[in-house]
Amino acid sequence: MTIPKRYELTDEQWNRIEPMFPAYRTGRPATIDNRTAFNGILWLMRSGAAWRDIPERYGHWKAIYSRFQRWSDSGLFLKMFEELSQDPDMENISLDSTSIRVHQKATGAKKTPSTQSFNQFIGRSRGGLTTKVHALVDGLGNPLKFSLSGGQVHDSIAAPELLRTVDLTDVNVIADKAYGAEKLRDQITSAHGTYTIPPKANAQNPWDCDYFTYCERHLIEDFFNQMKNFRRFATRYDKLATSFLSTIHICAIMILLK
């Protein structure tokens, strides 16, 4: 049976990330190697299927799920994403969010200390149960940072914390009208950055906006469109926010590996 290459890593991509994976240590030999397990995870991310439906050519689904959980708990996917996103183009960065529909099976996570946080960032908005993914991309459209909020949270409320994760010195922040709150604009200028954010039509004290530069905001829209090619991102199936963030980082890793 021919393996669909679109779901798997090329040799070149694998060579870039292989050294980041920990050695598989256990009392008995591993049933699947790291590359096969990661390819199985990628198949799941692309298809949006359940863990049980992972094709047998990747190994038993429980072994792949166990590997995903161990890698996720160790912070491997975050570390891998940060390694691949080094040396960004910081002349302009774009800020935006996208709403992700939460599948009914993603609700009902147990509120125990093992979840690390009782807040799983699931909220009710006009679209039903949703999670908002807030993102920053650099001047080339490559992802920089992510954060989560409930779907009912306004963009300008979630943005300040996300912007504090990057050095804004001599950086121009591009965002749409939803981010035009005075407090947020003051935060950017106080951090020695500038902004390209158009004022709303009813703004009492409208400010100038360079609409030629504003056109660069298409980069973050293009990025979210690429991310939604992964069905596990386009619909949230993960109950825990930590697992969903791992899903986000895996999808972003594949975009950075292109």
Side-chain angles (χ1 to χ4, degrees):
M1 183 176 182
T2 303
I3 297 176
K5 297 297 184 182
R6 58 179 177 157
Y7 286 148
E8 299 190 353
L9 294 166
T10 64
D11 290 339
E12 182 181 358
Q13 290 172 330
W14 174 245
N15 290 337
R16 289 182 64 186
I17 64 174
E18 181 183 13
M20 304 180 202
F21 284 89
Y24 185 78
R25 298 176 181 176
T26 182
R28 55 185 179 180
T31 55
I32 51 176
D33 57 61
N34 286 336
R35 182 173 182 175
T36 302
F38 193 68
N39 279 334
I41 293 171
L42 291 180
W43 183 92
L44 186 85
M45 298 295 147
R46 284 283 191 179
S47 67
W51 286 97
R52 293 175 180 271
D53 295 333
I54 294 177
E56 293 183 1
R57 63 177 175 269
Y58 296 115
H60 197 282
W61 71 268
K62 285 187 177 180
I64 299 173
Y65 176 74
S66 176
R67 202 78 64 92
F68 169 82
Q69 289 286 51
R70 184 163 60 251
W71 288 340
S72 179
D73 292 343
S74 69
L76 172 65
F77 300 125
L78 174 59
K79 294 174 186 175
M80 192 178 296
F81 167 73
E82 290 177 339
E83 179 71 22
L84 292 173
S85 60
Q86 289 185 0
D87 194 26
D89 181 346
M90 296 294 286
E91 181 179 358
N92 293 313
I93 63 173
S94 297
L95 167 67
D96 207 352
S97 72
T98 187
S99 293
I100 304 297
R101 177 180 172 271
V102 177
H103 193 272
Q104 60 184 4
K105 294 188 179 297
T107 59
K110 294 182 179 179
K111 294 184 178 181
T112 65
S114 63
T115 63
Q116 299 180 7
S117 172
F118 294 167
N119 184 1
Q120 302 305 332
F121 303 110
I122 297 175
R124 188 173 295 278
S125 61
R126 286 182 295 179
L129 291 177
T130 54
T131 292
K132 269 190 180 179
V133 178
H134 306 266
L136 287 171
V137 302
D138 70 4
L140 300 176
N142 294 321
L144 292 172
K145 298 288 182 178
F146 299 99
S147 68
L148 301 179
S149 73
Q152 81 285 0
V153 177
H154 194 274
D155 290 343
S156 63
I157 295 176
E161 182 177 354
L162 183 59
L163 287 173
R164 279 192 286 268
T165 63
V166 296
D167 182 3
L168 295 179
T169 304
D170 299 326
V171 174
N172 182 51
V173 179
I174 304 174
D176 63 23
K177 297 178 182 180
Y179 297 93
E182 182 178 3
K183 187 176 181 179
L184 183 60
R185 290 184 285 115
D186 288 343
Q187 176 184 338
I188 295 171
T189 54
S190 296
H192 308 289
T194 57
Y195 55 84
T196 302
I197 303 174
K200 292 184 178 180
N202 62 349
Q204 293 183 356
N205 298 300
W207 55 92
D208 293 332
C209 177
D210 182 352
Y211 285 94
F212 180 80
T213 302
Y214 181 70
C215 290
E216 293 297 308
R217 200 180 72 83
H218 77 87
L219 290 170
I220 195 164
E221 295 176 340
D222 294 344
F223 168 70
F224 279 134
N225 285 335
Q226 291 183 72
M227 290 285 284
K228 289 187 177 181
N229 287 328
F230 296 86
R231 294 187 180 181
R232 276 262 171 174
F233 174 83
T235 300
R236 176 176 170 175
Y237 293 94
D238 300 293
K239 288 186 177 182
L240 301 182
T242 52
S243 295
F244 187 49
L245 272 173
S246 291
T247 294
I248 293 170
H249 287 133
I250 291 170
C251 298
I253 286 166
M254 292 308 299
I255 290 175
L256 290 170
L257 285 173
K258 284 186 176 180

